[in-house]
Amino acid sequence: MSEAATGPLSDLRVVEMGQLLAGPFCGQLLADFGAEVIKLEPPGKGDPMRQWGREKPHGKSLWWPVVARNKKSVTCNLRTEEGQALARNIIGKSDIVVENFRPGTLERWGLGYEDLRTLDPRLIMARVTGYGQDGPYSPRAGFGSIGEAMGGIRYVTGNPDLPPSRAGISLGDSLAAVFATIGVLTAVHHRERTGRGQLVDSAIYEAVLAMMESLLPEYEIGGYQRERTGSVLPNIAPSNVYPTKGGEMILVAANQDSVYARLVTAMGRADLVSDPRYVDHASRGVNMAELDDVISAWTADLGTDEVLDILHEAGVPAGRIYTARDMFDDPHFAAREAIVRLAHPDFGEIPMAGVVPKLSDSPGAVRHAGPELGEHNSDIYGSLLGLTEAERAALVDRGII
């Protein structure tokens, strides 16, 4: 490696091609656990994520330092033959390629998997796209939002009297990246046993579909189409948002029989344990609206801290609906280092989510925020590929790096 790296994946070198979120989040996850991730970016402008995000203090994205953390930035014009040759040289010294171009793009550049595996049959390539590498829709442009709709989550999200909603995050892209990461690590394990690399094909719509629980057999076997149900799941009660004194809200999830009994006992309504309307899971599902009214009447007379103290003491799952401000103020976030802070040249210090999951013997770490464009050109082109300073300068002059 060209820089000392620690973590369970520190023996792996990853080349990240592509942009925005679906591929780069996979690279972020691998880098969090120590992989050397070399991100290839177009000279002059880099990944559009450098400009994305709602808030831009100092004209800089607050998203880029997160999704590009722990990575090395190298400029490389992949649309030129010289840039493609440089990419092949870097890939030839690497273990894994992560990309999220539309299918066929890398093949046109001579960088498809069949081309690259001739450099090293142990090479693993993760390809993250909207529809996958084959099938009639594979050539289509595919953003995360379209994959969310096709995978089924958009239809069931939101209130029943309104059009389908979206989560306030790029859920489809992130899910496809997580599954791509699982695929990469599985392929690494397989390579240790067989000596062969392979292709990891992660489609956004399939990643979303994988999270849709029993939606498919419910429709085909049970004749039931899941619909939008707002803040509840049908026949799962009590599990909802409830008001507290002062206009705040909390979540309570007490649908299991024993937990339900603890809830109503804590409410001073032990009589509801044996009430035939709520005596078991099925009965509570049928009468969920009436039960929610009973619980709401109780919570509305209590302050948020008071009702949560009562429920936690009783062993009932309940909690606030957190905003970013709540997360910064919460002692549990602090105790588990769920939020980490890093030095940043423009922001002074930048907070972001820590590494997930936590490993007891070989934990990951956030070592640095997203790099400047081309910050590691000398490291990779000089130290790794052995190009002289004059050779690198000539490539800059020709717009290759």
Side-chain angles (χ1 to χ4, degrees), residues 89-387:
N89 287 340
I90 297 173
I91 292 168
K93 298 178 181 295
S94 302
D95 300 279
I96 299 158
V97 174
V98 176
E99 67 95 11
N100 66 312
F101 291 106
R102 195 185 303 189
T105 301
L106 289 186
E107 283 73 14
R108 291 195 298 273
W109 296 341
L111 297 172
Y113 183 62
E114 294 305 318
D115 298 305
L116 295 177
R117 73 188 305 181
T118 62
L119 302 174
D120 182 359
R122 293 172 55 83
L123 182 70
I124 295 165
M125 175 181 272
R127 312 192 76 169
V128 188
T129 57
Y131 304 99
Q133 296 298 308
D134 54 17
Y137 300 164
S138 62
R140 295 180 180 177
F143 265 31
S145 57
I146 307 304
E148 291 168 21
M150 186 175 177
I153 200 166
R154 285 294 185 100
Y155 184 80
V156 300
T157 302
N159 291 314
D161 55 343
L162 294 173
S165 298
R166 67 164 297 164
I169 56 171
S170 302
L171 185 62
D173 289 305
S174 298
L175 282 174
V178 171
F179 280 105
T181 306
I182 294 171
V184 165
L185 298 178
T186 302
V188 169
H189 180 69
H190 181 263
R191 185 175 69 179
E192 291 302 308
R193 298 168 59 190
T194 67
R196 299 191 306 273
Q198 61 183 298
L199 180 65
V200 177
D201 180 358
S202 182
I204 294 172
Y205 87 95
E206 289 171 348
V208 173
L209 180 62
M211 307 303 293
M212 295 307 296
E213 301 174 346
S214 56
L215 178 136
L216 296 176
E218 284 174 1
Y219 177 77
E220 184 169 284
I221 299 174
Y224 172 70
Q225 170 65 57
R226 287 202 188 189
E227 301 288 346
R228 292 183 294 284
T229 55
S231 62
V232 301
L233 289 176
N235 303 319
I236 306 297
S239 183
N240 206 343
V241 177
Y242 301 96
T244 61
K245 195 172 183 177
E248 295 186 315
M249 294 179 294
I250 61 168
L251 273 167
V252 179
N255 46 292
Q256 185 179 347
D257 288 348
S258 59
V259 181
Y260 167 72
R262 294 199 295 268
L263 167 64
V264 294
T265 300
M267 292 168 54
R269 292 295 309 274
D271 59 294
L272 295 177
V273 174
S274 57
D275 189 313
R277 295 171 297 172
Y278 316 125
V279 71
D280 56 26
H281 181 80
S283 300
R284 290 193 297 275
V286 172
N287 297 290
M288 62 188 304
E290 183 179 357
L291 179 57
D292 279 341
D293 288 343
V294 173
I295 298 169
S296 293
W298 176 69
T299 59
D301 283 339
L302 301 171
T304 299
D305 289 337
E306 183 180 3
V307 69
L308 287 177
D309 285 345
I310 293 170
L311 294 178
H312 292 158
E313 179 66 24
V316 176
R320 297 176 182 273
I321 301 172
Y322 278 50
T323 65
R325 180 179 63 185
D326 298 319
M327 297 173 190
F328 283 117
D329 293 339
D330 191 277
H332 193 76
F333 277 70
R336 286 182 54 83
E337 298 181 341
I339 299 173
V340 297
R341 295 180 177 274
L342 288 85
H344 191 277
D346 297 304
F347 309 132
E349 183 180 75
I350 183 168
M352 61 185 70
V355 177
V356 179
K358 299 181 184 298
L359 302 184
S360 61
D361 290 344
S362 55
V366 185
R367 300 178 297 280
H368 61 79
E372 294 298 312
L373 182 61
E375 182 177 329
H376 299 92
N377 279 7
S378 296
D379 178 16
I380 301 305
Y381 290 130
S383 301
L384 182 62
L385 298 190
L387 299 181

Side-chain angles (χ1 to χ4, degrees), residues 16 20-32 66-67 69 71 98 170 173-178 181:
E16 180 189 299
L20 299 177
L21 189 59
F25 187 46
C26 175
Q28 176 193 325
L29 297 175
L30 295 170
D32 279 352
V66 179
V67 75
R69 70 193 196 187
K71 299 178 186 178
V98 176
S170 302
D173 289 305
S174 298
L175 282 174
V178 171
T181 306

